[in-house]
């Protein structure tokens, strides 16, 4: 695995630490900072070709300016791009991917998993296999299906603790990683590296993911408190404030409804920090009124966030482990170092 | 920690592997088999004094008959007992605990956490501190509260993947263990050992729990497929059948309602394998009709279980990792051995 990852992504230090492609947040400065530190940065694709091109151009520029230079593979951009498949046209994605040759394309949330077969095939085709195919799934059944259809280069396993969108029903990574690993191995796919997503925000989580059989981790919520994240201060402050994410965040469809982002496939909802929008909905406020109040909150700027605010604050249940804003590169290095220490500690556990 | 655990529970091999006190399932044969193998077995207290006494007497007998003998601490029974605090009277618990001096009492689900202060004090009082106080919680806030109130000898942290009853809202152990650990350490309680419960059914989960900072694990679902579990064949067969517990189980109040076990505090629901009771409720079947069908299913014996059956099949989302019935002692040994192997593997991970 290490050899495969090193060959495909020569700047990556293993175990691989990935910054999730968070819509409108994971732009070029964050993605490049993560890759520069030996992690794997992803641009959030979004739905608009001109935005994607702009983000890629900026990433290319930042990579070009990096000193020391980021170790690269000839003709491959050392960042990836994430697509929300339910909302992106293949032709548009292909035209952008062909032009910029990102190191990886991360596919997620198609209407049907079977759609991904064509995506994987054509992306490999237009990039001569230079762009690797990452697919994010949430169950062992989904993992098996995409392994058979697409032979992905990497499978990202999303657990129930993850922030933002995810399956309404899923286990956490403590279950999913071993079960997906066993299922794939039994079907002859043990060579596909696995990346754990959801609930991991620091080094002990990375160490645990490795013990479970993953080859690396994705973090989203942790990078919301990265200096380079494109994020409102009110949002970031609330991420730093929230503790005990099991109770201070919730999976719900309410945030999608008030925001009008209701085009996700029906098996998804999203986890966010609970706020007035959520409480009012639970108390029975008519959704039209909640929507109106949401629009009014948007005008308040940073004041619109917070436990009494209304603006959607997507975050995972690991939010309580995020306590300070740091440069993304320092986050990558600190998580790796803390994982190394955790594994040094566990290597001394006495099994008599 | 190892020294403390060894002194209190001399038969226990560290890291500690615990069998959950599962109501009407964790009786003397299972509890003693787990302790005999170097784990920590718990009797499920239930609500009736004569049952408790019967279980303790049987445990004492099985312990007495054990060959080789179970290493014991003078005058302390090498198994624990779990109480569901919302439904058990302190006086009754004290009278049984005083007579049998179990190694530990596991407190859980009081109407208010503050009730546990008296419980801890009086149990220590009637047993001269021989019976250790274990308390199960689900958030960092709860952990801090019980640490301050009760100075527990052990804190069990229950995550969202756990089977049977648990908090409606909580994170998985991948979040909870580090967050509880950090919160307790910041408040001066870093000496309290932590045990992870929920989502762990095999060695990689134990290894992960240790990496997260826990000192051991509880397993419930895994021991449903122990030879010594007091469990109907229909129930056990369904545990072996179910895969992908994130989608094949669900947290719900419906099972409690059809069974009439509605006296749990309102912040709890329970996770079970989804079956006809669950689907019919989701489709809008009136609850009285669902209850009636439940009663009819009870008469069918083993046929009443299964995906098309109706009898409640509590299980955690790790159910897909449970694939064979084994003697409880073999489960304990295999999980420890597999954890050791997982940590040997992670000790070789290259952090360049």
């Amino acid at each position: 695995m290490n050899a495969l990852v090193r060959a495909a992504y020569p700047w990556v230090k293993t175990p691989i630490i990935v910054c999730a492609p968070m819509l409108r947040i994971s732009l070029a400065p964050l993605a490049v900072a993560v890759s520069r530190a030996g992690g794997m940065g992803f641009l959030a694709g979004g739905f608009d070709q001109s935005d994607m091109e702009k983000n890629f151009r900026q990433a290319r520029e930042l990579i070009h300016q990096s000193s020391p230079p980021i170790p690269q593979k000839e003709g491959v951009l050392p960042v990836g791009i994430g697509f929300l498949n339910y909302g992106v046209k293949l032709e548009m994605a292909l035209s952008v991917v062909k032009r910029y040759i990102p190191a990886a394309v991360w596919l997620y949330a198609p209407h049907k998993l079977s759609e991904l077969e064509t995506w994987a095939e054509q992306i490999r085709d237009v990039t001569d296999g230079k762009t690797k195919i990452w697919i994010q799934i949430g169950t062992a059944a989904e993992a098996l299906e995409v392994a058979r259809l697409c032979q992905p280069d990497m499978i990202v396993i999303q657990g129930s603790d993850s922030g933002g969108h995810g399956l309404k029903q899923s286990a956490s990574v403590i279950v999913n990683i071993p079960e997906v690993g066993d299922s794939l191995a039994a079907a002859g796919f043990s060579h596909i590296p696995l990346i754990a997503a959801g609930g991991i925000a620091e080094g002990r989580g990375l160490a645990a993911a490795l013990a479970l059989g993953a080859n690396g981790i994705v973090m989203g919520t942790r990078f919301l408190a990265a200096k380079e994240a494109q994020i409102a201060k009110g949002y970031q402050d609330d991420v730093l404030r929230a503790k005990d994410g099991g109770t201070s965040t919730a999976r719900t469809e309410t945030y999608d409804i008030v925001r009008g982002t209701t085009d996700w496939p029906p098996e998804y909802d999203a986890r966010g920090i609970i706020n007035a929008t959520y409480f009012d909905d639970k108390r029975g406020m008519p959704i039209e009124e909640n929507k109106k109040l949401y629009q009014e909150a948007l005008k308040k700027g940073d004041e619109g966030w917070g436990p009494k605010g209304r603006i959607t604050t997507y975050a995972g249940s690991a939010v309580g482990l995020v306590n300070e804003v740091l440069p993304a590169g320092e986050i990558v290095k600190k998580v790796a170092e803390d994982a190394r220490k955790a594994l040094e500690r566990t290597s001394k556990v006495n099994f008599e």
Side-chain angles (χ1 to χ4, degrees), chain A:
Chain A
M1 147 68 187
N2 286 5
L4 280 176
V5 168
R6 263 163 221 276
Y9 324 102
W11 67 94
V12 162
K13 302 208 165 82
T14 51
I16 187 167
I17 295 173
V18 179
C19 177
M22 297 178 282
L23 198 60
R24 285 184 283 279
I25 293 171
S26 299
L27 304 186
L30 180 56
V32 173
V34 170
S35 287
R36 195 186 287 128
M40 178 84 181
F42 272 84
L43 300 170
F47 305 106
D48 179 81
Q49 178 157 356
S50 69
D51 269 356
M52 280 185 225
E53 301 244 9
K54 194 178 117 194
N55 292 335
F56 266 124
R57 275 196 308 271
Q58 203 193 343
R60 197 159 61 180
E61 218 165 286
L62 289 170
I63 290 160
H64 189 69
Q65 293 162 1
S66 284
S67 169
I70 303 177
Q72 287 179 58
K73 192 167 168 172
E74 176 80 22
V76 177
L77 212 61
V79 293
I81 185 166
F83 291 117
L84 297 172
N85 282 75
Y86 71 82
V88 180
K89 291 245 181 316
L90 175 57
E91 291 65 35
M92 181 173 82
L94 286 176
S95 105
V96 180
V97 166
K98 189 179 177 177
R99 188 155 332 147
Y100 294 93
I101 316 281
V105 156
W106 166 318
L107 306 177
Y108 180 49
H111 288 290
K112 288 183 178 175
L113 287 179
S114 57
E115 297 166 18
L116 299 183
E117 186 174 8
T118 313
W119 276 71
E121 201 175 280
Q122 302 220 359
I123 288 165
R124 284 173 170 140
D125 196 45
V126 299
T127 68
D128 287 330
K130 286 179 186 161
T131 295
K132 301 301 174 192
I133 305 296
W134 293 33
I135 302 181
Q136 179 170 259
I137 50 75
T139 67
E142 287 185 349
L144 270 179
E145 188 176 349
V146 300
R148 287 185 176 125
L149 284 171
C150 311
Q151 295 83 45
D153 299 291
M154 194 78 87
I155 289 181
V156 180
I157 302 170
Q158 188 182 29
S160 53
D161 293 293
S162 61
H165 288 82
L167 291 176
K168 286 175 187 166
Q169 298 285 344
S170 74
S172 80
V173 292
I174 207 157
V175 169
N176 267 350
I177 300 290
E179 188 168 0
V180 168
D182 288 351
S183 301
L184 289 176
F189 296 108
S190 59
H191 58 283
I192 304 177
L194 305 179
I195 306 284
I200 302 169
E202 40 78 87
R204 289 163 292 186
L206 168 54
L210 297 173
L212 292 164
N215 302 94
I217 55 164
V218 174
M219 296 190 295
T221 305
R222 183 61 193 93
F223 286 112
L224 291 177
K227 213 169 136 266
E228 297 85 349
Q230 179 71 34
I231 186 171
K233 186 170 183 306
Y235 188 163
Q236 199 173 56
D237 283 350
D238 210 38
V239 167
L240 297 176
R241 176 197 62 79
K243 298 284 159 259
D244 256 333
T247 49
S248 64
T249 72
R251 301 207 74 91
T252 176
E253 291 179 283
T254 305
Y255 294 135
D256 273 334
I257 297 170
V258 295
R259 299 168 76 229
T261 52
T262 52
D263 45 357
W264 279 80
E267 59 271 30
Y268 292 86
D269 61 6
R271 184 183 289 280
I273 299 177
I274 57 182
N275 64 15
T277 299
Y278 179 83
F279 286 120
D280 283 340
D281 183 65
K282 288 281 162 202
R283 285 186 204 114
M285 176 184 280
I287 196 71
E288 289 308 321
E289 188 181 343
N290 214 334
K291 276 187 191 175
K292 212 183 103 202
L293 292 171
Y294 186 85
Q295 288 302 322
E296 287 168 17
L298 287 178
K299 297 172 196 154
K300 294 185 185 168
D302 290 329
E303 301 298 305
W305 272 275
K308 290 174 181 172
R310 312 197 75 89
I311 309 182
T312 299
T313 313
Y314 290 135
S317 57
V319 69
L321 292 164
V322 179
N323 302 308
E324 59 176 338
V325 176
L326 287 173
E330 280 186 36
I331 293 173
V332 171
K333 284 169 189 164
K334 185 167 164 37
V335 169
E337 176 56 15
D338 290 348
R340 196 191 56 71
K341 284 182 198 159
L343 293 179
E344 197 177 297
R345 171 171 53 72
T346 53
S347 74
K348 292 172 190 153
V349 169
N350 182 14
F351 290 83
E352 56 177 79

